[in-house]
Amino acid sequence: MSLMERFFKLKEQGTDVRTELLAGLTTFLTMAYIIFVNPSILGDAGMPKDSVFVATCVAAAIGTLIMGLYANYPIALAPGMGLNAYFAYGVVLGMGYTWQAALGAVCISGILFLIISVLRIREIIVNGIPHSIRTAITAGIGLFLAIISLKNAGIITSNPATYIALGNLHAPPPVLAIIGFFMIVALDRLRIKGAILIGIVAVTVLSFFFAGNKFAGIVSAPPSIDPTLFKLDISSALSIGILNVVLVFFLVELFDATGTLMGVANRAGLLKQGKMDRLNKALMADSTAIVAGSFLGTSSTTAYVESAAGVQAGGRTGLTAVAVAVLFLACLFIAPLAGAVPAYATAPALFYVSCLMLRELVDIDWDDTTESVPAVVTALLMPFTYSIANGVAFGFISYAGLKLLTGRAKEVPIIVWIIAAIFIFRYAYLGGE
């Protein structure tokens, strides 16, 4: 047996080195946008963009490497979308805190995260999630991926009257995305290995001929990380006013990452009786990554729903995650090449994965509305509030509330009551950030 086989237990999971590496490349391509988007968003908060670029790559590599080597799951981590927007536009520009203080808040939330992971409190929370909500989380992530992918492809766009409207289907990006989508579905149905990756590469190549994409080279030297390294201000973050910010970061990180872990693991067939075997190790990986990211100079790191694309490509072990981590580190030197893959090239892959994830809804007990309604609320609120955490929150609240109102309160685990109460407090007193 090879070292990789023994360490990652490839045969036990029905996979091999080639499949895992291809899956890692697929996951990376679907989430590589973060190394350019994150610096842009945090740059609006006054942070040096070049340094944030380096911090983003390194933080993603650290978190994903821990997930792969320690937890042995095919799940990638990187600074989270939504959390970075709250950091920049809510905390810094909205509330007037310095970005150093905001990094301090991220660090404190990560330490709290680490503590409840070590004490296995977070594991108790996850294992206490009712079956209907757990099932809905997977489907909700699918819907969330759908709205992200359609937006990235230009197939849907914002509209002041209807919020969402059909985009310009005469433009090259949506046309190429549609071609890529049918290509991926057909190739996957024909059991062609690497179907998702082939689709992404094909659309990228076509983009140079039909969409004006420019090739900016392959290699460039990484910029300095000094302007953000260890610049967090924990003392300011401990002030009374910003403790609310810490709580918001903590709650969103907790349920965003937890929801993603459960959803992707379920899609990969890695749940046993509805539970993850190495759940606590996975939780330790993302909490450690949050703290590391705050020291490097980036907002909260979390598990990425785009990992589902790699799972669909066959990724089943931590080797997939290790491949993603290596590619993030390589991006420090090959940023121009990574930047050549447009968002509309990865959109078809995400949309196909979202279609597959909706099959989980069949497992819901549709005859019992105290189970089915909270599940639907969970799934729908994720895309419509652009937040996995909000979907989970309203799912818990509606589950506990409906059981109480129908005289079935005894069916609700105590942890569900506690979490529902915490979220009600959050929305009542801290707003809906």
Side-chain angles (χ1 to χ4, degrees):
M1 293 174 68
S2 69
L3 178 63
M4 284 190 179
E5 166 57 37
R6 289 199 305 271
F7 190 86
F8 294 107
K9 301 179 180 176
L10 301 176
K11 285 185 181 176
E12 185 181 312
Q13 296 297 338
T15 185
D16 54 47
V17 173
R18 179 180 177 276
T19 300
E20 293 291 299
L21 296 180
L22 267 176
L25 180 57
T26 301
T27 293
F28 172 76
L29 288 174
T30 60
M31 62 185 289
Y33 66 86
I34 193 62
I35 65 177
F36 304 103
V37 175
N38 198 49
S40 175
I41 291 174
L42 297 190
D44 289 345
M47 297 186 70
K49 291 184 180 182
D50 286 348
S51 299
V52 175
F53 165 79
V54 178
T56 301
C57 292
V58 176
I62 291 172
T64 307
L65 204 57
I66 297 172
M67 182 67 76
L69 296 177
Y70 181 57
N72 196 23
Y73 280 120
I75 297 170
L77 293 87
M81 290 294 292
L83 285 164
N84 53 10
Y86 175 61
F87 180 104
Y89 307 119
V91 180
V92 179
L93 298 177
M95 301 179 192
Y97 292 105
T98 64
W99 60 263
Q100 292 89 342
L103 284 177
V106 170
C107 182
I108 295 169
S109 70
I111 291 170
L112 291 174
F113 220 14
L114 197 55
I115 290 170
I116 68 165
S117 296
V118 170
L119 297 177
R120 293 187 175 269
I121 296 172
R122 197 171 159 203
E123 189 171 1
I124 293 169
I125 292 171
V126 175
N127 289 334
I129 298 175
H131 173 74
S132 58
I133 301 295
R134 186 181 295 125
T135 300
I137 286 171
T138 306
I141 288 174
L143 291 171
F144 190 48
L145 281 176
I147 200 166
I148 290 172
S149 60
L150 291 172
K151 173 180 172 290
N152 287 350
I155 293 172
I156 62 172
T157 187
S158 60
N159 183 290
T162 60
Y163 298 108
I164 294 177
L166 190 65
N168 177 15
L169 297 186
H170 294 286
V175 172
L176 292 177
I178 292 168
I179 292 170
F181 174 71
F182 282 109
M183 181 185 298
I184 288 171
V185 177
L187 290 175
D188 195 48
R189 180 62 186 169
L190 294 170
R191 302 191 182 282
I192 304 296
K193 285 248 182 182
I196 291 177
L197 183 58
I198 292 169
I200 293 171
V201 172
V203 174
T204 301
V205 171
L206 290 173
S207 71
F208 290 109
F209 296 98
F210 301 105
N213 194 3
K214 302 293 183 185
F215 185 67
I218 298 175
V219 180
S220 64
S224 172
I225 195 175
D226 284 345
T228 59
L229 186 65
F230 301 123
K231 296 299 190 294
L232 69 168
D233 185 352
I234 293 179
S235 59
S236 294
L238 289 171
S239 67
I240 298 298
I242 205 169
L243 284 180
N244 285 345
V245 174
V246 173
L247 181 58
V248 172
F249 274 133
F250 176 73
L251 288 175
V252 175
E253 288 160 358
L254 175 62
F255 287 97
D256 214 350
T258 300
T260 302
L261 287 171
M262 295 296 290
V264 174
N266 190 28
R267 182 72 196 93
L270 298 174
L271 295 185
K272 295 180 180 176
Q273 297 180 329
K275 296 180 180 180
M276 293 173 72
D277 274 352
R278 302 173 302 283
L279 174 62
N280 208 56
K281 288 185 174 182
L283 301 179
M284 291 285 287
D286 65 19
S287 52
T288 303
I290 293 170
V291 178
S294 69
F295 283 116
L296 292 165
T298 183
S299 53
S300 303
T301 302
T302 188
Y304 256 60
V305 292
E306 284 85 350
S307 302
V311 165
Q312 182 58 31
R316 292 293 181 273
T317 74
L319 182 55
T320 293
V322 171
V324 176
V326 170
L327 288 167
F328 267 116
L329 288 177
C331 259
L332 291 171
F333 303 93
I334 58 167
L337 182 61
V341 180
Y344 56 83
T346 59
L350 297 182
F351 192 62
Y352 178 45
V353 170
S354 76
C355 293
L356 298 176
M357 293 181 83
L358 289 178
R359 75 174 70 170
E360 302 299 330
L361 291 172
V362 75
D363 293 331
I364 294 171
D365 183 0
W366 292 99
D367 294 326
D368 184 351
T369 51
T370 65
E371 295 286 338
S372 61
V373 170
V376 172
V377 168
T378 301
L380 290 181
L381 265 290
M382 286 186 190
F384 290 144
T385 64
Y386 218 73
S387 166
I388 293 171
N390 283 339
V392 174
F394 282 98
F396 271 97
I397 293 169
S398 58
Y399 186 90
L402 288 172
K403 293 291 186 184
L404 177 65
L405 292 171
T406 54
R408 297 166 61 182
K410 289 183 180 178
E411 296 178 16
V412 182
I414 185 67
I415 194 67
V416 174
W417 289 114
I418 294 170
I419 293 167
I422 290 171
F423 273 115
I424 289 171
F425 171 80
R426 177 201 161 186
Y427 291 120
Y429 294 98
L430 302 179
E433 293 93 344

